[in-house]
Amino acid sequence: MAQTTETSTTPVVAAPILTSTPAFSSDTLQAVQKLFRSRRTGGAILGFPGGYMLGYGLVSTARGIDGAPATLAIGAVLSGISLSKSARFSKLKEAEIISAYQNGKPLPAYVRTRIKSKHLKNAKPFDATAQRSTW
C-alpha cells in the first residue's frame, strides 16, 4: 500500500518575538520605598519618647512616685508601637516585598492599603516602550 503525504503550500512563519514589558511599575516601587522609609522614620521618632517614658515609669514605679504606673503604661504602648513599626517596615521586609513584586507577586494588603498619593508624588512615570538615547 502506498501512503500519500500531502504537502502544505502555506509558508512556515516563525512566531513573532514579543518584547514583554515588566510586570511591575517603577512608580509603585518608588512609592513602596517612600512608604517604608517614612514608616521606619516614624517608628524611630516614636521610640525616643516611648523609651524615655518607659524608663522614667520604671524608675518612678520603683521609687513609689504617684502617676508612675500611667507613665509606665504610656511608655510601654509607645515603645511597642515603635518596635512593631520597626519590624513590619524593616529594610529586610522592604527588600523581600520589592523582590516579590518584581517577580510578579502582588503587594501585601498592609502595603497596598497604606500607599497614598503623597508616596506617589514626584514619581517618574515608567515607560516600557521608551528607547535609550544614544547621544
Side-chain angles (χ1 to χ4, degrees):
M1 260 195 212
Q3 290 184 348
T4 59
T5 57
E6 294 182 23
T7 58
S8 174
T9 58
T10 309
V12 177
V13 178
I17 298 174
L18 299 175
T19 56
S20 62
T21 59
F24 59 90
S25 169
S26 69
D27 61 339
T28 302
L29 292 178
Q30 290 174 3
V32 169
Q33 290 169 339
K34 285 181 184 180
L35 170 70
F36 272 73
R37 186 174 35 246
S38 69
R39 293 295 172 131
R40 277 193 303 268
T41 302
I45 290 171
L46 192 60
F48 290 116
Y52 175 79
M53 291 180 79
L54 183 64
Y56 181 77
L58 287 171
V59 171
S60 298
T61 302
R63 292 184 180 173
I65 298 175
D66 288 340
T71 305
L72 180 64
I74 292 170
V77 168
L78 292 177
S79 296
I81 292 170
S82 173
L83 290 173
S84 173
K85 279 187 168 193
S86 296
R88 186 171 239 193
F89 295 99
S90 69
K91 288 184 179 184
L92 179 64
K93 288 270 189 177
E94 178 183 359
E96 289 173 357
I97 289 171
I98 288 175
S99 176
Y101 181 67
Q102 288 176 332
N103 290 328
K105 293 185 181 177
L107 293 173
Y110 79 93
V111 174
R112 274 193 320 267
T113 57
R114 284 177 173 82
I115 292 179
K116 306 294 181 205
S117 61
K118 68 180 181 179
H119 299 114
L120 294 169
K121 285 183 183 175
N122 300 325
K124 297 175 184 171
F126 180 73
D127 185 8
T129 61
Q131 297 291 324
R132 283 192 186 180
S133 174
T134 57
W135 297 64

